[in-house]
Amino acid sequence: MSKGDVSPIRSVPPSIPRPDYVGKRRASQWRGGDVHSAETIARIRATSRLAAQALAEVGRHVTPGVTTDELDRIGHEFLVDHGAYPSTLGYPGSAGRPPFPKSLCTSLNEVICHGIPDSTVIQPGDIVKVDITAYKDGVHGDNCGSFIAGEGSPKARDLVEATREALARGIAAVKPGREVNVIGRVIEAYATRNGYESVRNYTGHGVGPAFHSGLVIPHYDSAPMHSDVIKPGMVFTVEPMLVAGSELNYEWDDGWTVSTDDGSWCAQFEHTLVVTDDGAEVLTLP
């Protein structure tokens, strides 16, 4: 995949509150923890539902002949029309790189994540990962889905379904008292049994009042690292990225787009969830 032309930044009405990182060189470090009050969780639940609705709306338009920039327009307008700010728009880059210029990420085929929507035309059979996050009432809700343009090959369909199942198994592993590395152990084991590799250096994260709280949710067996204990009221994402070849990857010179080294295709699914007394409640459901 090659880069297309990126359209001008889309506007957000001034009446819609922005996250505090917009217009800054870096996001401020979150110090409020990952266990939230019932009131905050209620706001995250509402915002996450809106993000899920936006993802479903964009997904309906993933068809051959559509540009990824058009998908960005659809997602942007959906969120703005519902009084939400697209969390990725203006998110600061690392090491002085430009902020993210679009309202969602579109990552095709061998692109693992953080693809910038542009003039690229979606082709029949492409796997299109759409990652969209809403910010409303002071909190974020984050989710991602993989959509196949048209019928797709059996190999592409199998990869997408295996990744969907890996997410489900990772969420089922969420129990209070366990370490977060258990989630990745379950995901990686399932991926390996099915002939896939799980991307290691892009992870799930704590989310809520902060887009990224600092909590890391790995999608591989990282023990004894990432030993944070899961507690009721914690909110974080689980977002496995499975690849049909090697998970080794590189970042494009745009400072955002990440592709597999060997050109193998990738699928991804993501939910925001809250930990309950005996498991997890998925919040990003439409």
Side-chain angles (χ1 to χ4, degrees), residues 241-252:
M241 296 154 248
L242 301 192
V243 296
S246 170
E247 64 91 18
L248 297 177
N249 54 78
Y250 69 97
E251 188 177 82
W252 290 13

Side-chain angles (χ1 to χ4, degrees), residues 150-173:
E151 182 178 352
S153 68
K155 186 175 181 180
R157 294 197 301 271
D158 287 348
L159 174 60
V160 167
E161 289 311 309
T163 309
R164 193 194 311 271
E165 178 64 18
L167 172 62
R169 291 180 180 228
I171 292 173

